[in-house]
Amino acid sequence: MSPFGLPKVAWQTMFEELAEQRAARTQEGCEKIKTASQDLAEALRETYSNSARTATDYGLKVIEISNANASSAIDFFARIASSKSMTDVFATSAAEARRVFDAASAQNTQLWELTQRLATQSGEPIRQHVAKVFQKAS
Protein backbone atom coordinates (compact mmCIF):
# COMPACT_ATOMS: atom_id res chain seq x y z
CA MET A 1 0.00 0.00 0.00
CA SER A 2 1.04 3.55 -0.69
CA PRO A 3 0.26 6.74 1.18
CA PHE A 4 -3.40 7.81 1.15
CA GLY A 5 -4.51 4.18 1.11
CA LEU A 6 -4.25 3.70 -2.66
CA PRO A 7 -2.71 0.56 -4.11
CA LYS A 8 0.82 1.09 -5.38
CA VAL A 9 -0.23 0.51 -9.01
CA ALA A 10 -3.00 3.15 -8.78
CA TRP A 11 -0.58 5.60 -7.16
CA GLN A 12 1.99 4.99 -9.88
CA THR A 13 -0.65 5.35 -12.61
CA MET A 14 -1.90 8.59 -11.10
CA PHE A 15 1.67 9.90 -10.85
CA GLU A 16 2.32 9.00 -14.52
CA GLU A 17 -0.90 10.73 -15.59
CA LEU A 18 0.07 13.89 -13.69
CA ALA A 19 3.53 13.79 -15.25
CA GLU A 20 1.98 13.43 -18.72
CA GLN A 21 -0.40 16.33 -18.04
CA ARG A 22 2.47 18.49 -16.80
CA ALA A 23 4.54 17.60 -19.88
CA ALA A 24 1.59 18.44 -22.15
CA ARG A 25 1.05 21.80 -20.42
CA THR A 26 4.76 22.53 -20.62
CA GLN A 27 4.77 21.65 -24.33
CA GLU A 28 1.69 23.84 -24.89
CA GLY A 29 3.33 26.74 -23.03
CA CYS A 30 6.52 26.36 -25.08
CA GLU A 31 4.51 26.38 -28.30
CA LYS A 32 2.73 29.56 -27.21
CA ILE A 33 6.05 31.21 -26.38
CA LYS A 34 7.50 30.08 -29.72
CA THR A 35 4.49 31.48 -31.60
CA ALA A 36 4.65 34.76 -29.69
CA SER A 37 8.38 35.00 -30.40
CA GLN A 38 7.80 34.44 -34.12
CA ASP A 39 5.02 37.03 -34.14
CA LEU A 40 7.25 39.53 -32.37
CA ALA A 41 10.10 38.86 -34.79
CA GLU A 42 7.72 39.48 -37.70
CA ALA A 43 6.45 42.69 -36.11
CA LEU A 44 10.03 43.87 -35.61
CA ARG A 45 10.90 43.02 -39.24
CA GLU A 46 7.91 45.04 -40.43
CA THR A 47 8.81 47.90 -38.11
CA TYR A 48 12.40 47.95 -39.32
CA SER A 49 11.30 47.75 -42.95
CA ASN A 50 8.81 50.60 -42.53
CA SER A 51 11.34 52.69 -40.64
CA ALA A 52 14.04 52.11 -43.24
CA ARG A 53 11.68 52.95 -46.10
CA THR A 54 10.42 56.14 -44.44
CA ALA A 55 13.93 57.16 -43.34
CA THR A 56 15.07 56.73 -46.93
CA ASP A 57 12.17 58.89 -48.12
CA TYR A 58 13.13 61.49 -45.52
CA GLY A 59 16.78 61.45 -46.58
CA LEU A 60 15.84 61.76 -50.24
CA LYS A 61 13.55 64.69 -49.42
CA VAL A 62 16.39 66.42 -47.53
CA ILE A 63 18.68 65.92 -50.54
CA GLU A 64 15.96 67.26 -52.87
CA ILE A 65 15.43 70.30 -50.63
CA SER A 66 19.18 70.93 -50.38
CA ASN A 67 19.52 70.78 -54.14
CA ALA A 68 16.59 73.16 -54.65
CA ASN A 69 17.97 75.59 -52.06
CA ALA A 70 21.48 75.53 -53.57
CA SER A 71 20.08 76.13 -57.04
CA SER A 72 17.92 78.97 -55.74
CA ALA A 73 20.89 80.58 -53.98
CA ILE A 74 22.95 80.46 -57.17
CA ASP A 75 20.08 82.02 -59.13
CA PHE A 76 19.76 84.74 -56.48
CA PHE A 77 23.46 85.60 -56.64
CA ALA A 78 23.25 85.72 -60.43
CA ARG A 79 20.31 88.14 -60.22
CA ILE A 80 22.14 90.30 -57.66
CA ALA A 81 25.27 90.32 -59.82
CA SER A 82 23.26 91.48 -62.83
CA SER A 83 21.44 94.24 -60.92
CA LYS A 84 22.04 97.70 -62.32
CA SER A 85 21.22 99.74 -59.24
CA MET A 86 20.98 99.52 -55.47
CA THR A 87 17.20 99.74 -55.78
CA ASP A 88 17.25 96.55 -57.89
CA VAL A 89 19.51 94.88 -55.30
CA PHE A 90 17.12 95.77 -52.46
CA ALA A 91 14.04 94.74 -54.44
CA THR A 92 15.67 91.46 -55.49
CA SER A 93 16.81 90.80 -51.92
CA ALA A 94 13.36 91.50 -50.48
CA ALA A 95 11.68 89.28 -53.07
CA GLU A 96 14.24 86.55 -52.43
CA ALA A 97 13.77 86.78 -48.67
CA ARG A 98 10.02 86.32 -49.08
CA ARG A 99 10.51 83.43 -51.54
CA VAL A 100 13.02 81.72 -49.21
CA PHE A 101 10.64 82.10 -46.26
CA ASP A 102 7.75 80.57 -48.24
CA ALA A 103 9.97 77.77 -49.56
CA ALA A 104 11.33 77.00 -46.08
CA SER A 105 7.81 76.89 -44.70
CA ALA A 106 6.70 74.45 -47.40
CA GLN A 107 9.83 72.35 -46.97
CA ASN A 108 9.38 72.18 -43.21
CA THR A 109 5.78 71.06 -43.74
CA GLN A 110 6.93 68.28 -46.07
CA LEU A 111 9.59 67.12 -43.62
CA TRP A 112 7.12 67.25 -40.72
CA GLU A 113 4.66 65.09 -42.67
CA LEU A 114 7.42 62.56 -43.37
CA THR A 115 8.37 62.58 -39.69
CA GLN A 116 4.77 61.96 -38.66
CA ARG A 117 4.51 59.13 -41.18
CA LEU A 118 7.73 57.63 -39.81
CA ALA A 119 6.38 57.76 -36.26
CA THR A 120 3.01 56.32 -37.25
CA GLN A 121 4.27 53.57 -39.54
CA SER A 122 7.11 52.54 -37.27
CA GLY A 123 4.82 51.81 -34.37
CA GLU A 124 1.97 50.25 -36.33
CA PRO A 125 3.32 46.66 -36.60
CA ILE A 126 4.11 46.63 -32.87
CA ARG A 127 0.64 48.02 -32.07
CA GLN A 128 -1.00 45.35 -34.23
CA HIS A 129 1.08 42.63 -32.61
CA VAL A 130 0.19 43.73 -29.09
CA ALA A 131 -3.50 43.94 -30.06
CA LYS A 132 -3.33 40.41 -31.49
CA VAL A 133 -1.67 39.09 -28.33
CA PHE A 134 -4.36 40.67 -26.15
CA GLN A 135 -7.07 39.37 -28.45
CA LYS A 136 -5.69 35.82 -28.19
CA ALA A 137 -5.43 36.15 -24.41
CA SER A 138 -9.08 37.13 -24.01
Side-chain angles (χ1 to χ4, degrees):
M1 281 297 217
S2 66
F4 307 113
L6 294 174
K8 193 171 189 175
V9 173
W11 181 255
Q12 197 170 19
T13 304
M14 189 172 87
F15 180 75
E16 288 171 358
E17 288 174 4
L18 288 173
E20 288 175 13
Q21 290 173 359
R22 186 175 60 238
R25 282 194 305 263
T26 301
Q27 182 66 28
E28 182 181 323
C30 288
E31 289 298 321
K32 286 181 180 181
I33 291 170
K34 183 179 175 183
T35 301
S37 176
Q38 290 170 343
D39 290 345
L40 180 59
E42 180 62 28
L44 291 174
R45 271 192 292 278
E46 288 178 31
T47 298
Y48 179 77
S49 178
N50 287 344
S51 295
R53 188 173 27 259
T54 307
T56 299
D57 291 347
Y58 189 90
L60 290 173
K61 181 56 77 175
V62 168
I63 291 169
E64 177 187 320
I65 287 170
S66 297
N67 184 36
N69 291 345
S71 179
S72 177
I74 291 168
D75 290 345
F76 169 68
F77 289 126
R79 285 193 308 274
I80 290 290
S82 66
S83 294
K84 301 200 189 281
S85 70
M86 284 307 283
T87 305
D88 287 344
V89 170
F90 289 131
T92 301
S93 294
E96 181 66 10
R98 181 63 189 174
R99 195 205 59 72
V100 166
F101 178 79
D102 291 342
S105 178
Q107 292 165 350
N108 286 337
T109 299
Q110 292 171 348
L111 291 175
W112 178 247
E113 288 170 357
L114 285 172
T115 302
Q116 286 179 317
R117 193 172 83 197
L118 174 64
T120 302
Q121 289 180 351
S122 293
E124 186 61 25
I126 298 295
R127 188 192 65 75
Q128 289 175 351
H129 172 72
V130 169
K132 187 175 13 172
V133 167
F134 283 129
Q135 189 178 33
K136 282 182 183 178
S138 26

